[in-house]
Amino acid sequence: MPSISDILSYLLSAVLIFFGLIFLIASTIEPMRVLPGIALMGLGGLIIYLRHMLREAEASEERLEAAVIRLAKRKGGFVSIADVSSELNLPVELAKKILEGLERKGLAFLDFKKIGDEGVEVYRILGASEEES
């Protein structure tokens, strides 16, 4: 279900495009209205484009989180930033951001015992190991 911000942004875009069309139609009589018409339509289109890009970024982050969870299941429920970075071909900063995002959502946490054993930050992904049953 679309959120309120989705609905408002599409409504605003529709209004801008509508008034842009009105200005373009009126430009047949008054040519000075061409530029405001094009500007309004362009602004409406830009809002739709930016909204689409924002949704794509959110979906991409969710796909990466799902890939990290699958990786953790293959590795017994534990992954490090280096594991995520190398296995998923991601920059280290992005791998760290995804793991911290999972931690904020309560789906992962730093395993201090493993950190002490391995010397790197190791995250335990909840629901990804057989020990939790």
Side-chain angles (χ1 to χ4, degrees), residues 8-125:
L8 290 176
S9 64
Y10 288 127
L11 184 62
L12 176 63
S13 296
V15 168
L16 289 172
I17 291 171
F18 173 76
F19 279 112
L21 283 172
I22 296 295
F23 270 77
L24 286 178
I25 292 169
S27 71
T28 59
I29 298 170
E30 184 69 40
M32 295 291 292
R33 296 183 183 187
V34 169
L35 289 178
I38 291 172
L40 286 171
M41 289 185 68
L43 188 58
L46 180 65
I47 290 172
I48 290 173
Y49 173 75
L50 292 175
R51 191 70 193 161
H52 172 73
M53 294 305 292
L54 180 64
R55 292 182 107 198
E56 283 294 315
E58 290 170 356
S60 176
E61 189 172 319
E62 290 172 4
R63 284 192 294 270
L64 288 173
E65 287 176 352
V68 169
I69 292 170
R70 285 192 304 274
L71 174 65
K73 285 182 180 179
R74 285 198 326 259
K75 292 190 163 275
F78 298 94
V79 291
S80 68
I81 295 170
D83 290 336
V84 173
S85 178
S86 64
E87 294 282 332
L88 301 178
N89 294 325
L90 298 174
V92 173
E93 290 302 316
L94 181 58
K96 183 173 182 154
K97 179 183 169 194
I98 291 168
L99 286 168
E100 288 172 350
L102 286 171
E103 188 176 21
R104 275 192 304 278
K105 291 178 181 178
L107 299 174
F109 61 91
L110 282 170
D111 191 307
F112 293 104
K113 184 176 185 301
K114 289 262 189 189
I115 290 173
D117 294 344
E118 297 182 20
V120 295
E121 290 183 359
V122 178
Y123 288 82
R124 182 177 187 167
I125 308 298

